Amino acid sequence: MKTLMVVDPRMCTECKDCITACRKEHGVARAKKTSTVPVFCLHCHPDKAPCRRICPTNAIKEKDGTLIIDEEACILCKLCMVACPVGMVVVDDEKKSAQKCTLCMETDNILPACVEACKDNVLKIFSIEDLEDLKKDISYAEIIEEAMKAYNDRIK
């Protein structure tokens, strides 16, 4: 099942708890903090992910809808780091391998460590199916329609 993380930047208090939790869980932070919000892997479609497409050793593989880096196959050429549109492939010097967010799927966590650590409820996990259901929800569609109308009225 393809899963995505959604960040609500309006609610972020810049506490960095998500980054700290990620570093504690994986030894290296697989996310970065900008001046205002945390930035995570975009979890690109496995067939279109620039990091996967450029990897000369095919070390970036799809597992249950999420891309993971095979540490044994990684030669640390760093091409994936250059190709990532948001710069979210990082190097773990101890493991001598590139690393990227996997939403903690290789751990025993029910939720990713960053989501559990976020006291401001900024980070949310959705499956593609959840998002499709939201698009079909009439009340949700009405809210979006009203927001678009207000936006259009402002820019006129």
Side-chain angles (χ1 to χ4, degrees):
M1 170 175 58
K2 180 77 174 144
T3 307
L4 302 170
M5 180 165 354
V6 178
V7 180
D8 185 348
R10 297 168 300 165
M11 297 181 68
C12 184
T13 60
E14 304 176 36
C15 68
K16 299 184 185 176
D17 287 349
C18 55
I19 307 298
T20 302
C22 184
R23 185 177 295 110
K24 183 178 177 187
E25 183 70 40
H26 303 289
V28 63
R30 296 175 176 181
K32 294 179 183 173
K33 188 76 171 78
T34 66
S35 60
T36 54
V37 294
V39 177
F40 298 89
C41 174
L42 295 176
H43 299 286
C44 300
H45 186 282
D47 296 335
K48 298 178 182 178
C51 61
R52 181 181 189 187
R53 292 174 64 189
I54 202 166
C55 182
T57 63
N58 295 317
I60 302 175
K61 304 172 192 259
E62 188 239 334
K63 181 179 177 185
D64 299 327
T66 300
L67 292 176
I68 60 166
I69 298 177
D70 178 349
E71 295 170 6
E72 307 249 332
C74 178
I75 60 171
L76 212 52
C77 66
K78 300 182 183 176
L79 288 173
C80 56
M81 295 174 74
V82 173
C84 178
V86 290
M88 290 317 313
V89 180
V90 297
V91 172
D92 185 331
D93 292 325
E94 211 171 281
K95 293 180 180 178
K96 301 207 181 334
S97 171
Q99 299 285 308
K100 64 174 282 317
C101 176
T102 60
L103 298 173
C104 293
M105 70 176 289
E106 76 279 16
T107 69
D108 293 331
N109 297 354
I110 294 172
L111 289 173
C114 58
V115 174
E116 283 187 27
C118 182
K119 62 183 176 278
D120 298 316
N121 205 21
V122 173
L123 309 175
K124 304 211 184 323
I125 297 293
F126 291 98
S127 70
I128 295 296
E129 293 81 12
D130 292 339
L131 294 176
E132 288 300 320
D133 289 345
L134 279 176
K135 282 179 13 183
K136 294 174 189 171
D137 184 341
I138 298 299
S139 62
Y140 183 70
E142 289 170 358
I143 291 169
I144 291 175
E145 195 173 295
E146 286 178 36
M148 288 305 295
K149 184 179 180 305
Y151 172 75
N152 287 331
D153 289 346
R154 272 191 149 167
I155 60 171
K156 286 184 182 179

